[in-house]
Amino acid sequence: VRMSSPLLRPGKYVAIDCEMVGTGPQGRLSELARCSVVNYEGDVIYDKYVQPELPIVDYRTRWSGITKQHMKSAIPFKAAQAEILKILKDKIVVGHAIHNDFQALKYFHPKDRTRDTSQIPVLKQRAGLPVRASVSLKSLARHLLRKKIQDGCKGHSSVEDAQTAMELYRLVEVQWETELARSLPPRPPSPLTDPTTDSNQYMDDRYWPTDLTASSL
């Protein structure tokens, strides 16, 4: 099976994790307060604190690790968003329950370039957990990597969580990518609508990794 593989192009893969704080009424809105991105080897390529657009009501320090002190060095959301999206452009992005991170970034990444470790059946199977179960990153790390994360009361580390997601992905990378390549639908015709505004844009040929496109010809 020919496929886009980090073994051939490790620079195309990154893992992301975001920490959120509470804003809005009763602090119920979740806004980005820190974002970390690591490369295929787990090296940090981005790690910054981010000032939310609305005033912070709840720092959620127990989970987020964010304190008032961190906001002194934080950059505005729009500036962080621009920097982060520039890194994610044309990349395969790994993360755990990654839709939460994209939501915090107010961004939608192409589905065929997203690898969510909370949705990889082979990871759950290896861990001896039900395939349909919702499994935490902490649980997968403990079962498969013999690694303790998210311990203590000082909150999560987005760097550690991003590195852990990448480690988990690499553990089952070959099998998962092979299964993905087999399950890809036939190449559809390009949509007639403007690909920059329509969600169908991600089905357009130019958004598919060239390796995968070539294998379906």
Side-chain angles (χ1 to χ4, degrees), residues 7-81:
L7 296 175
L8 301 174
R9 298 189 297 162
K12 295 293 285 184
Y13 285 68
V14 295
I16 189 172
D17 188 73
C18 297
E19 299 299 342
M20 278 71 92
V21 291
T23 65
Q26 287 81 53
R28 289 177 184 166
L29 291 177
S30 289
E31 284 200 61
L32 183 68
R34 183 185 181 187
C35 180
S36 304
V37 183
V38 302
N39 64 15
Y40 184 70
E41 285 76 30
D43 302 320
V44 178
I45 54 178
Y46 189 91
D47 183 31
K48 290 187 181 181
Y49 290 97
V50 181
Q51 184 70 53
E53 294 181 297
L54 295 175
I56 298 173
V57 177
D58 183 357
Y59 282 90
R60 303 178 184 173
T61 306
R62 182 180 171 187
W63 298 278
S64 70
I66 305 293
T67 65
K68 190 175 183 179
Q69 189 71 20
H70 291 131
M71 289 300 105
K72 291 182 179 179
S73 61
I75 66 172
F77 171 77
K78 290 290 185 186
Q81 183 191 47

Side-chain angles (χ1 to χ4, degrees), residues 118-119 124 129-136:
S118 74
Q119 301 295 325
K124 298 176 187 179
L129 301 165
V131 172
R132 294 185 181 277
S134 176
V135 183
S136 69

Side-chain angles (χ1 to χ4, degrees), residues 132-174:
R132 294 185 181 277
S134 176
V135 183
S136 69
L137 184 68
K138 183 175 182 176
S139 180
L140 286 174
R142 185 175 72 249
H143 280 91
L144 297 175
L145 303 174
R146 301 292 181 262
K147 176 179 176 180
K148 283 187 177 182
I149 63 169
Q150 301 175 356
D151 274 3
C153 57
K154 291 187 177 180
H156 300 181
S157 162
S158 49
V159 168
E160 184 178 56
D161 288 357
Q163 289 170 333
T164 301
M166 184 61 86
E167 283 182 69
L168 287 167
Y169 170 74
R170 289 181 63 172
L171 197 64
V172 294
E173 170 199 328
V174 174

Side-chain angles (χ1 to χ4, degrees), residues 107-128:
Y107 170 67
F108 181 75
H109 197 67
K111 188 176 179 181
D112 65 293
R113 294 187 180 186
T114 301
R115 304 290 183 269
D116 188 340
T117 53
S118 74
Q119 301 295 325
I120 299 181
V122 67
L123 274 175
K124 298 176 187 179
Q125 289 165 358
R126 279 207 186 189

